[in-house]
Amino acid sequence: MPGSNKAVLILADGSEHDLSSGDNSIIAADGTEIKNTGNKLEYISTNSQPTEMKYNTLKIPRGGEYFLILADSTKVWLNSETTLRFPVQFAADVRNVELNGEAYFEVSKNERVPFIVTSGNQQVKVLGTQFNLSSYADNQSVYTTLVEGKVEVSLTTNPESKLVLKPNEQSCFSKEEANILKRTVDVAQYIAWKDGRFVFQDQMLEDIMKTLSKWYDVQVVFSNEDDKKLRFTGNLERYADFSNILGKIERTNEVEFEITNKLITIK
């Protein structure tokens, strides 16, 4: 079955709260009300300024997704196998969060207080905009795709060298070469997951299966290494049964799938 709304919230004191039950709940922490509805977590600040910076962490497992509203009203859609670390309330001069995985950000505009997303060695600085950031540890590249507004992309090792993105542009940070390149893209391909679709444009089967395995929580092995480089284009329903997805790929007559419990063998 496809993934669903599931997440674990880790508070500053180390306590963990499973948000997957679907029950409405309210957690009070340091002058902030944290409301959970089973598919949305919302931070509602009751203090004007925090006396001490305290961080929470939201962890999304394989086969999960969740929607988060931060204390500044910024909206964040979190994809499978993603972790976001963020303050319960933001400081007066900067809004810092840390991402490992993939998330779509709709940043609340505040020209006086920049919003910065740190992901490994990369930083994305915005004032108010919409963008997708894909930064999985098992991928060799970090992709920042701008939908609306403007962002500055830089490396923590060289913060003075900035790359500015405009809408429909994407930066690609190569972890191996430690450089950032920019290109024009069709953003729909990179944000479709947020709206319930998988859009693949001339992508290698290895990368397609890596994306699908995170969402359907399965393991994938190739019986032939050359098959990893097969390229496919397709627009698929994210909430479809996995066998339907595999059936559509099989109908290309390029590969076939053998399913044993949660292990998918590609032949």
Side-chain angles (χ1 to χ4, degrees):
M1 297 302 294
S4 59
N5 292 299
K6 51 181 111 166
V8 174
L9 176 65
I10 305 172
L11 300 181
D13 62 6
S15 62
E16 297 189 6
H17 299 262
D18 185 356
L19 307 181
S20 311
S21 65
D23 297 332
N24 290 343
S25 60
I26 298 176
I27 307 166
D30 306 305
T32 299
E33 192 178 85
I34 308 173
K35 296 177 66 176
N36 176 50
T37 62
N39 60 7
K40 179 180 74 172
L41 187 69
E42 182 175 6
Y43 280 65
I44 303 169
S45 177
T46 54
N47 284 349
S48 58
Q49 190 59 43
T51 55
E52 178 186 355
M53 292 297 292
K54 293 192 175 182
Y55 285 81
N56 286 183
T57 300
L58 192 61
K59 295 182 70 173
I60 317 300
R62 289 174 71 90
E65 64 179 355
Y66 224 77
F67 177 52
L68 170 67
I69 301 179
L70 297 170
D72 68 337
S73 298
T74 288
K75 298 175 182 177
V76 190
W77 289 259
L78 295 132
N79 207 346
S80 302
E81 215 170 45
T82 294
T83 301
L84 184 72
R85 183 174 181 266
F86 54 93
V88 175
Q89 293 188 61
F90 289 106
D93 56 343
V94 68
R95 297 174 284 170
N96 272 316
V97 302
E98 299 170 22
L99 176 74
N100 182 11
E102 183 170 28
Y104 183 92
F105 292 86
E106 191 175 299
V107 178
S108 179
K109 191 166 186 178
N110 188 335
E111 295 182 354
R112 294 178 291 103
V113 186
F115 191 98
I116 297 175
V117 184
T118 302
S119 192
N121 293 327
Q122 180 187 278
Q123 281 194 339
V124 179
K125 180 180 178 182
V126 306
L127 299 175
T129 185
Q130 296 185 39
F131 65 99
N132 192 80
L133 179 54
S134 180
S135 177
Y136 283 108
D138 59 352
N139 285 354
Q140 292 303 307
S141 299
V142 176
Y143 297 98
T144 306
T145 309
L146 185 61
V147 177
E148 184 181 292
K150 183 178 76 171
V151 301
E152 291 179 354
V153 183
S154 62
L155 300 180
T156 54
T157 52
N158 186 15
E160 299 306 313
S161 179
K162 299 183 176 82
L163 191 68
V164 177
L165 297 183
K166 295 181 292 187
N168 301 311
E169 289 186 337
Q170 179 187 75
S171 67
C172 176
F173 164 50
S174 169
K175 298 176 185 177
E176 187 176 343
E177 299 174 11
N179 62 4
I180 305 178
L181 301 175
K182 182 170 70 172
R183 61 181 181 175
T184 301
V185 296
D186 177 5
V187 298
Q189 176 183 345
Y190 299 93
I191 68 171
W193 68 268
K194 179 180 77 74
D195 299 316
R197 308 293 301 181
F198 288 116
V199 177
F200 302 113
Q201 187 66 42
D202 193 33
Q203 278 188 254
M204 290 197 302
L205 185 58
E206 179 181 26
D207 294 333
I208 291 173
M209 295 311 297
K210 192 178 289 186
T211 296
L212 295 176
S213 67
K214 285 181 170 63
W215 180 237
Y216 288 96
D217 189 17
V218 295
Q219 300 300 316
V220 175
V221 294
F222 285 82
S223 59
N224 184 344
E225 288 292 308
D226 290 341
D227 290 341
K228 292 181 177 181
K229 297 181 176 62
L230 290 171
R231 291 184 175 272
F232 293 87
T233 294
N235 187 326
L236 305 168
E237 186 183 347
R238 182 171 160 91
Y239 297 102
D241 187 281
F242 196 33
S243 59
N244 292 343
I245 300 277
L246 298 183
K248 290 182 178 181
I249 298 175
E250 280 188 329
R251 283 199 286 276
T252 64
N253 293 321
E254 295 283 356
V255 292
E256 64 179 37
F257 300 97
E258 184 179 278
I259 304 173
T260 308
N261 296 321
K262 285 196 170 189
L263 178 67
I264 313 295
T265 304
I266 301 176
K267 302 178 177 181

